[in-house]
Amino acid sequence: MEIVEDIISLDSTMRFAAIIDLKGNILESIMKKGKTSLKSQKEEEHFCKQVAQRRKMRQQFNKSLGKVRYVQVEREKVTQMVIYPKRKTVYFTLEPEVNATKKMALVNKVKKITAHL
């Protein structure tokens, strides 16, 4: 089973999951069955390139502020989460309005699943 399938099956509020290389290329991705994408394929690819660029920008502050644990963006239609294992980036989305406790639990579960990446 692919890692993205493990991630997407963690909770019913999950929408999308992707593993991205350090250049922003999508290595594997999955949309939850029954959900429709909020972005086109081209927009998704562009967004993932941007995720990789932002990772590089954030790394400039690792020495003074410490490593990024995760990134969360709250939007009206979706919650976006990004985690930085060593050699890959994990991006996943949730339905909006998921409570903070559940989000943290999901972040920690995804970190465990992807720790080897």
Side-chain angles (χ1 to χ4, degrees), residues 62-116:
N62 282 359
K63 195 168 190 171
S64 58
L65 301 175
K67 290 181 181 177
V68 173
R69 291 185 177 163
Y70 69 95
V71 177
Q72 175 182 329
V73 177
E74 279 296 321
R75 295 183 179 269
E76 292 174 351
K77 297 179 181 180
V78 69
T79 298
Q80 298 170 299
M81 306 292 261
V82 181
I83 298 170
Y84 300 147
K86 285 186 176 77
R87 295 173 303 278
K88 304 286 185 279
T89 300
V90 180
Y91 165 58
F92 63 97
T93 63
L94 307 164
E95 293 295 340
E97 314 306 327
V98 174
N99 72 51
T101 304
K102 186 181 235 185
K103 285 178 196 165
M104 284 311 308
L106 288 169
V107 164
N108 289 328
K109 287 177 184 176
V110 173
K111 281 183 172 187
K112 283 181 185 167
I113 292 171
T114 61
H116 66 285

Side-chain angles (χ1 to χ4, degrees), residues 34-47:
K35 306 282 183 187
T36 53
S37 181
L38 299 174
K39 298 188 291 268
S40 69
Q41 180 72 26
K42 193 170 190 165
E43 288 172 323
E44 199 70 69
E45 289 169 4
H46 177 70
F47 183 83

Side-chain angles (χ1 to χ4, degrees), residues 9-31:
S9 67
L10 287 173
D11 194 85
S12 62
T13 61
M14 296 290 243
R15 293 184 54 84
F16 176 80
I19 307 297
I20 306 165
D21 70 15
L22 296 177
K23 293 179 181 170
N25 299 306
I26 299 171
L27 303 176
E28 54 181 272
S29 66
I30 191 170
M31 177 64 65

